[in-house]
Amino acid sequence: DSAAGLNNGGVPTSGRHVWASDDRNARRRELYQRAAPMLRVHGFGGSTLKALARACGVSVPALYRYFPSKRAFALYPLVALYPELHAPPPDLSSGDPRLHLVGWIDAAVEEMPNYTLALRLAREVGLDRAEQARIEANLTVHIDAVAVLARAAAPQLSEAASREVASAMISIATGSVLTGIEIEPASLRHRLRALLRGYGVVLPTTLPTER
């Protein structure tokens, strides 16, 4: 699984690449991060598997060790389609719900560019009804989970208000899918925290991940 290193432009160099993690799921994410610039520019149809592997600094057979197909690679961030390629979701049933919400915001800021890219590619590739239903069902489950956290963090919220805030958070995070304009990470974090404050959900402000 060794791969050639990449320079700042994402082009393989002659050096040896050192994986950031030994975890297989983390390596999948790392490969997607390397291929994302090409997918953004050329789309699914314009990015051959050979070119994607080169952008990742690996061979095509090596890429197949982590993804079963080019389609699975391009749509990888859509967990509902390929849950077997991802680690199990975190347990949100215990602990401080405010910290879980901070973690959700941090994950949204980090992951949303790849998620929105995968949604755009899904439009290009085309999803069948079963796949679309899985994504919609996953979105409903996600809204429910965030709503539970919001209500636990701010007990004064009604069930309807907690679902409203959860839906708004996800809408803000995925807004660039509709507008085509990427939200700056700092702006996305600020907007999500401001939304929660507006609903009376006060989050910690001194965590190392907060800037």
Side-chain angles (χ1 to χ4, degrees):
D1 289 342
S2 296
L6 302 177
N7 64 19
N8 291 334
V11 179
T13 67
S14 58
R16 301 293 291 180
H17 175 75
V18 178
W19 288 100
S21 172
D22 290 333
D23 179 75
R24 192 170 184 82
N25 294 312
R27 287 187 175 188
R28 288 193 181 101
R29 184 177 177 280
E30 188 177 339
L31 288 167
Y32 196 85
Q33 289 281 74
R34 297 187 216 164
M38 173 175 287
L39 289 167
R40 284 192 177 91
V41 172
H42 300 290
F44 181 84
S47 303
T48 67
L49 193 60
K50 184 176 181 180
L52 289 170
R54 187 183 303 115
C56 291
V58 299
S59 65
V60 171
L63 197 59
Y64 273 125
R65 293 175 197 160
Y66 295 94
F67 299 94
S69 66
K70 175 187 169 184
R71 187 176 190 274
F73 186 29
L75 305 185
Y76 160 72
L78 304 180
V79 180
L81 297 185
Y82 301 99
E84 69 279 5
L85 301 180
H86 296 263
D91 180 13
L92 303 178
S93 62
S94 62
D96 187 339
R98 299 176 310 149
L99 296 182
H100 287 315
L101 285 171
V102 170
W104 189 95
I105 290 173
D106 287 343
V109 169
E110 184 176 4
E111 298 292 342
M112 206 50 63
N114 288 340
Y115 183 76
T116 53
L117 169 61
L119 284 176
R120 292 194 192 108
L121 295 172
R123 290 180 176 179
E124 178 185 350
V125 172
L127 302 180
D128 61 34
R129 289 184 179 181
E131 290 173 325
Q132 190 61 49
R134 285 204 298 274
I135 289 179
E136 291 173 0
N138 185 67
L139 179 61
T140 298
V141 170
H142 200 160
I143 290 173
D144 290 342
V146 176
V148 167
L149 290 177
R151 196 171 187 189
Q156 75 275 10
L157 289 177
S158 65
E159 183 175 346
S162 64
R163 285 189 59 81
E164 184 178 280
V165 68
S167 297
M169 288 175 69
I170 292 171
S171 293
I172 289 172
T174 59
S176 63
V177 175
L178 298 176
T179 65
I181 302 173
E182 295 287 348
I183 303 175
E184 289 296 323
S187 175
L188 177 56
R189 178 178 275 108
H190 173 76
R191 290 174 64 181
L192 289 170
R193 292 186 70 106
L195 173 70
L196 287 167
R197 281 197 304 273
Y199 280 87
V201 183
V202 181
L203 300 181
T205 59
T206 58
L207 294 181
T209 53
E210 291 297 309
R211 293 178 175 87

